Amino acid sequence: MEKEEKIIELIGVEKIFDGEQAVENMNLYVRKGEFITILGPSGCGKSTTLRMIAGFEMPDSGKILLNGKDITNVPPYERPINTVFQRYALFPHLNVYDNIAFGLKLKKFRNTYKTSDGKIVTKTEKLSKDVIDAKVSRVLKLVDLEEFEKRDVTTLSGGQQQRIAIARAIVNEPEILLLDEPLGALDLKMRKDMQLELKEMHKKLGITFIYVTHDQEEALTMSDTIVVMKDGTIQQIGTPKDIYNEPKNAFVADFIGESNIFSGTMVGKTKVRFINKVFDCVDDFPLNEKVDVVVRPEDVFLVDEGKGQVDGVIISSIFKGVHYEMTFVVGKTEIVIQDTMERKVGERCSVIIKPDDIHIMAKEFDCNRYDGYITKKNTVCFADGEFACDVTQLYEGSHLDEEGYLITADCEKIDLTDVDVSVEVGLKDIEIIDNDVDGDACGTIIQIVYKGDHYQIIIRTDKEEEDFVVDTEYTWNENDRVSVKIPADKIKLKLKAVTK
Ligand code: ADP
Ligand code: MG
């Protein structure tokens, strides 16, 4: 590794609140002087991560290193780290000077010196007024609020108050500044200005900034490195450019910018099929692999009908200041397109997507998912089959009466016939039977991949061409006709959200 100093390192850090994992096996390092941003939707564990770095929260497992030393058990006030929160938390009864000097006045340090008779003495001392004055005016200059010392903090605007909060955090000369959505309470204009100022301050101070936001644009403009989080786990770490241009999965692509995400299948070397059409692409994935295909709205070109790769029709168009945002429909699939030239609603046209604008990502495949519906007999139909299942999982605390109606915990009687559900089945929960009659759905084995200690087999059904992906230790052959059985308790059902 090149010589890059890691100032902070999280190794296998986890945090659990009331049995729920807020942060999962987090491995991350921050380089000295870096501006790193943790980005993710609300509740994904950003603040918890920051609070563990600050020492306000103890990890349940894993450790945190500062300059290579384990600080997991070091209390917050002994860490050279300061935090700026969204709510500026200034003392309203103190003026600007006293707000900033507050911590400095309490600070004690050990001073060692030689007396005239050569003895070495160590004394605990406080900072002198001159030193404090100098420090306060230095930081006020940094946040562009010189001459504001005597002002009452309650007379300042939100942006000014937040600058005071930043001044108060940096006056202690921390090695690391943590900022938890520090601009969240400001209006858009102020936020934009402060983004630039913070970036400037980072340059001037030369210290490490660990920044938290749920705003992707903010992360893209300010950071050297972005860490994208979802559900307590890191999805991707990279420069803003990497994250924008080469998102690792559909979540990152979607979160980072507006994107079209299609379900696709690899049908040849650098050939992917989506929206019912085969496109050339540049990413190579195994044949028949199910993939997510991401295309940015600005990378779809509209041309006259018959002149592009796929024909369709424009169903909406909105002017967005510099470009039009149009929705183009092919069959049932909608594609969002941005273009400076408008095509009117109802116009039939065609699109071109160039190979290097097609970003292919492995689908995170952890279980089989299907759309299904419940029958009169309380079985569930999906993937060309009908399966016994437990419908009471759809309503917590429910049971079935003698006639087979579902009775909810509140004693409401519900007829589930034809109710749409989403179905999940684990890869290991499907049994393959070597004929196409004894199981509950049948199909042909189209792919077998050896995964080191087991085979992953894909069975495609005849009519709907749905796939069962099965992990098994047994060997099968491609093109075998088989059927599948799934234990009722392994079929996970959820009610589909009602859409209007
Ligand atoms: P973010 O900052 O990304 O919005 P947080 O780190 O605040 O997310 O929260 C992550 C998860 O942990 C959330 O589900 C939240 O409800 C939970 N959580 C955070 N702090 C606590 C706490 N002190 N007690 C219980 N649950 C918490
Ligand atoms: Mg938060």
Side-chain angles (χ1 to χ4, degrees):
M1 200 180 119
E2 49 187 304
K3 201 175 174 323
E4 279 170 328
E5 274 181 86
K6 294 177 188 172
I7 188 161
I8 279 281
E9 188 167 11
L10 276 66
I11 303 169
V13 167
E14 314 220 85
K15 184 73 201 176
I16 298 163
F17 290 117
D18 316 321
E20 294 275 334
Q21 201 132 30
V23 173
E24 271 177 57
N25 188 25
M26 172 88 105
N27 292 290
L28 171 70
Y29 65 84
V30 180
R31 297 184 192 91
K32 206 167 195 151
E34 188 172 20
F35 194 129
I36 192 166
T37 298
I38 304 176
L39 171 70
S42 175
C44 72
K46 304 181 297 292
S47 295
T48 304
T49 305
L50 220 57
R51 293 172 61 78
M52 288 192 287
I53 296 173
F56 300 132
E57 210 77 73
M58 283 286 281
D60 289 300
S61 54
K63 53 183 176 179
I64 298 175
L65 308 184
L66 173 80
N67 295 317
K69 281 200 207 91
D70 192 339
I71 55 157
T72 318
N73 296 311
V74 173
Y77 56 86
E78 284 179 17
R79 302 185 186 197
I81 298 174
N82 271 85
T83 311
V84 180
F85 299 98
Q86 176 173 342
R87 307 247 165 266
Y88 352 103
L90 298 175
F91 302 115
H93 57 283
L94 299 181
N95 67 16
V96 168
Y97 178 95
D98 289 330
N99 261 283
I100 298 175
F102 189 81
L104 294 177
K105 287 182 184 166
L106 296 177
K107 204 168 181 163
K108 288 187 187 130
F109 64 100
R110 289 161 78 78
N111 200 3
T112 306
Y113 49 92
K114 244 188 203 169
T115 57
S116 52
D117 52 358
K119 268 198 239 154
I120 309 254
V121 246
T122 301
K123 274 192 182 167
T124 303
E125 293 182 352
K126 287 192 168 184
L127 294 172
S128 72
K129 179 149 182 351
D130 288 350
V131 171
I132 295 179
D133 283 354
K135 282 180 189 282
V136 172
S137 63
R138 188 183 82 95
V139 292
L140 276 176
K141 202 165 161 194
L142 266 169
V143 298
D144 223 0
L145 288 176
E146 292 157 284
E147 323 273 304
F148 270 66
E149 272 106 337
K150 296 277 165 300
R151 286 280 290 273
D152 185 348
V153 292
T154 53
T155 65
L156 303 180
S157 72
Q160 289 169 333
Q161 291 191 34
Q162 191 57 307
R163 279 191 242 171
I164 300 297
I166 293 165
R168 193 172 60 178
I170 58 184
V171 80
N172 296 311
E173 293 160 36
E175 288 180 49
I176 302 170
L177 189 64
L178 307 180
L179 302 110
D180 193 350
E181 314 228 11
L183 310 183
L186 307 180
D187 63 38
L188 186 65
K189 168 86 178 60
M190 184 74 85
R191 210 153 65 217
K192 296 267 171 218
D193 293 346
M194 283 293 289
Q195 285 173 8
L196 298 176
E197 281 183 33
L198 274 175
K199 187 85 199 137
E200 266 310 297
M201 249 182 255
H202 172 253
K203 254 196 243 154
K204 277 195 235 165
L205 286 168
I207 63 173
T208 309
F209 276 38
I210 308 180
Y211 195 92
V212 159
T213 182
H214 65 270
D215 180 339
Q216 45 98 4
E217 212 182 308
E218 191 162 291
L220 290 171
T221 13
M222 302 180 74
S223 328
D224 300 321
T225 306
I226 298 177
V227 180
V228 185
M229 279 185 78
K230 174 197 167 202
D231 297 342
T233 58
I234 295 178
Q235 303 293 304
Q236 186 168 1
I237 304 177
T239 62
K241 222 165 143 193
D242 289 341
I243 303 260
Y244 190 85
N245 290 333
E246 296 296 330
K248 264 212 186 122
N249 58 40
F251 171 81
V252 177
D254 192 36
F255 195 73
I256 275 294
E258 209 167 346
S259 283
N260 293 290
I261 301 174
F262 309 103
S263 273
T265 308
M266 297 307 291
V267 293
K269 193 169 169 55
T270 64
K271 284 195 188 307
V272 60
R273 184 184 175 85
F274 64 98
I275 53 171
N276 251 333
K277 170 93 195 170
V278 176
F279 288 82
D280 283 316
C281 57
V282 292
D283 301 313
D284 199 15
F285 278 81
L287 188 66
N288 286 323
E289 182 132 331
K290 299 278 180 199
V291 290
D292 284 319
V293 181
V294 174
V295 182
R296 302 254 173 229
E298 65 269 27
D299 294 335
V300 185
F301 295 97
L302 279 169
V303 292
D304 292 341
E305 190 173 17
K307 299 243 168 87
Q309 290 158 302
V310 196
D311 290 344
V313 61
I314 300 284
I315 59 157
S316 80
S317 168
I318 307 164
F319 184 57
K320 288 262 176 142
V322 270
H323 58 253
Y324 292 89
E325 190 165 285
M326 292 164 277
T327 311
F328 174 88
V329 176
V330 186
K332 280 187 200 156
T333 311
E334 294 187 354
I335 306 176
V336 177
I337 302 172
Q338 290 171 354
D339 203 322
T340 47
M341 229 183 63
E342 187 183 20
R343 301 248 172 188
K344 293 264 183 279
V345 172
E347 187 175 339
R348 295 201 53 86
C349 42
S350 186
V351 293
I352 295 176
I353 309 172
K354 291 191 289 189
D356 54 354
D357 290 330
I358 295 175
H359 305 289
I360 304 215
M361 289 153 226
K363 257 198 203 301
E364 272 176 61
F365 211 81
D366 46 3
C367 76
N368 291 281
R369 294 188 176 84
Y370 308 96
D371 294 329
Y373 62 89
I374 306 294
T375 69
K376 224 184 227 145
K377 298 171 280 173
N378 284 330
T379 59
V380 58
C381 285
F382 62 90
D384 286 341
E386 183 180 340
F387 300 82
C389 65
D390 172 15
V391 290
T392 61
Q393 63 183 295
L394 293 169
Y395 291 86
E396 212 181 310
S398 67
H399 65 275
L400 294 175
D401 69 6
E402 296 99 78
E403 295 167 88
Y405 287 104
L406 184 118
I407 311 296
T408 67
D410 307 333
C411 300
E412 195 188 339
K413 183 168 169 174
I414 293 180
D415 181 0
L416 290 169
T417 311
D418 291 335
V419 163
D420 287 330
V421 289
S422 48
V423 182
E424 284 189 9
V425 183
L427 308 188
K428 295 196 184 79
D429 297 331
I430 299 174
E431 183 195 348
I432 307 177
I433 296 167
D434 66 354
N435 63 58
D436 58 9
V437 290
D438 290 342
D440 296 320
C442 69
T444 306
I445 293 182
I446 59 151
Q447 185 185 306
I448 300 170
V449 181
Y450 185 58
K451 294 251 174 172
D453 57 352
H454 66 274
Y455 295 92
Q456 194 164 77
I457 292 177
I458 302 181
I459 301 160
R460 184 159 294 169
T461 66
D462 302 332
K463 264 199 306 219
E464 302 272 341
E465 300 204 338
E466 290 273 11
D467 290 345
F468 290 100
V469 180
V470 187
D471 281 348
T472 172
E473 298 156 37
Y474 303 110
T475 52
W476 293 85
N477 296 311
E478 257 172 52
N479 298 319
D480 277 355
R481 294 285 299 162
V482 294
S483 55
V484 298
K485 265 190 180 302
I486 308 169
D489 64 332
K490 299 292 186 197
I491 297 181
K492 302 262 173 293
L493 303 175
K494 260 196 210 135
L495 288 175
K496 279 255 173 100
V498 184
T499 45
K500 280 185 220 156

